[in-house]
Amino acid sequence: MARNTIGVIGGGQLARMMIPPAVALGIDIRVLEEAEGMSADLAATGVGDYRDLDTVLAFAETVDVVTFDHEHVPPAILRELVSRGIPVHPGPDALLYAQDKLQMRAKLSELGLPVPDWAAVESADELGAFLADHGGRAVVKTARGGYDGKGVRVVTEASGADDWFLALAEDGRGGALLVEELVDFRRELAQLVARRPSGEIASWPVVETVQKNGVCAEVIAPAPGSAGRVAQVSAEIANRVAEGLGVTGVLAVELFETTDGRVLINELAMRPHNSGHWSIEGAVTGQFEQHLRSVLDLPLGSTDMREEWSVMVNILGGPAEGTLQDRYPAALAAHPEAKFHGYGKAPRPGRKVGHVTVTGDDLDDVVYNARAAAAFFEG
């Protein structure tokens, strides 16, 4: 039976950006948003709490396939959908490793994939022991819920995460924090792949990501100087993650390229990802169309680049007064080579409210034009 109705749980900008390729493919897309007026409101057919089983079941029964624009739906709800014969992509067994960093690190280590040295710690004493073995500095992360730099901190003392240990104790469920070696890296990379339930995998070029205050600010595709070993190793890592965890849909593997020549896995995202937004204009098949193809188990599209370079610059915060649309006349006139994407969000300091992409054959020109176009929307 053909499956042509996709249900997306989560009404954020990722769901919003799935709408144009769904329309182009003639696919019916429906969205369960958490509150009215979210980014994907124009495709929303339901409003409700994704943590409520009855709400999610009522929505899922109106579609052929369920997917997500975030990883926060409780595993028990996803397993109930699967038990009722509703296809869920990625499935709960895979999504677990994007929801829980400790589970992720343990599974990746079991698969023999390259990760920073790490440990699960439940007390200041255990954290202190790890620090003593790793030069007195380490990165501590909450196992669940962190993103865009949240739930991550560098510590130099055993007491550096006391508030997080206290919060775990007060929660009543206990648990541990993830502590990792402080990796000496020269740059951050991201490798995106897409995998169908039937097993076909397609990879985009590895990209370089540039962070600002813990938030992705720019993406350069392909990562400069990555041709050869870095590109090959990055793609192999992502393919092994996708197959080893059984991921279906788009998978983003965030990576460190270390100063001593290693490529290590930092984080995973099992959905379209900010590091892949460049592909909308920069690749033959963008990540949002590919995600739809993947979850419907349709043949995947070419991931070849349309031009030599593609640079995406996030619009962080937005105008101090007015809206992004108020700035369009000047920005569009000044940069006809740029593509502008607004997320339907009100401006707020540090918030991702849109992005700009420029493609071309001269990297310096492409970077300059992308940054200059995005600057029209700064406060």
Side-chain angles (χ1 to χ4, degrees), residues 119-341:
V121 292
E122 298 183 10
S123 67
D125 287 344
E126 290 180 352
L127 176 56
F130 188 93
L131 286 168
D133 290 338
H134 293 82
R137 302 183 72 200
V139 177
V140 177
K141 301 179 180 180
T142 55
R144 290 177 173 266
Y147 68 97
D148 283 350
K150 300 177 179 68
V152 178
R153 66 176 61 157
V154 175
V155 299
T156 56
E157 297 179 352
S159 60
D162 279 355
D163 55 331
W164 285 353
F165 285 125
L166 179 61
L168 287 173
E170 291 179 342
D171 184 64
R173 293 178 297 178
L177 300 175
L178 171 65
V179 60
E180 300 178 342
E181 65 171 300
L182 186 61
V183 175
D184 186 12
F185 62 91
R186 59 180 297 263
R187 61 178 175 174
E188 294 185 64
L189 305 172
Q191 176 67 63
L192 268 68
V193 301
R195 181 175 179 269
R196 295 168 59 185
S198 56
E200 181 188 7
I201 295 180
S203 304
W204 287 271
V206 65
V207 302
E208 179 175 347
T209 63
V210 180
Q211 315 299 313
K212 181 179 180 181
N213 298 323
V215 179
C216 180
E218 298 180 5
V219 176
I220 303 172
S226 63
R229 178 188 171 277
V230 172
Q232 180 182 354
V233 169
S234 299
E236 288 177 352
I237 288 172
N239 286 356
R240 288 179 61 194
V241 171
E243 293 175 338
L245 274 54
V247 180
T248 46
V250 168
L251 165 71
V253 182
E254 298 179 64
L255 302 161
F256 293 129
E257 183 181 3
T258 68
T259 54
D260 59 5
R262 296 176 295 163
V263 176
L264 302 176
I265 299 171
N266 180 23
E267 302 281 359
L268 303 179
M270 297 180 190
R271 51 175 169 74
H273 190 254
N274 192 210
S275 64
H277 289 352
W278 67 271
S279 65
I280 300 172
E281 287 86 24
V284 174
T285 309
Q287 66 165 344
F288 294 97
E289 178 184 341
Q290 199 81 297
H291 187 71
L292 299 180
R293 290 185 183 216
S294 300
V295 302
L296 290 171
D297 206 15
L298 294 171
L300 302 181
S302 168
T303 53
D304 291 344
M305 295 193 64
R306 292 185 178 276
E307 297 195 59
E308 188 172 352
W309 298 101
S310 182
V311 173
M312 184 217 71
V313 177
N314 276 323
I315 300 171
L316 300 176
E321 297 181 357
T323 67
L324 266 66
Q325 288 75 17
D326 294 336
R327 306 288 181 95
Y328 276 162
L332 296 174
H335 291 281
E337 77 286 349
K339 293 294 185 180
F340 298 85
H341 294 261

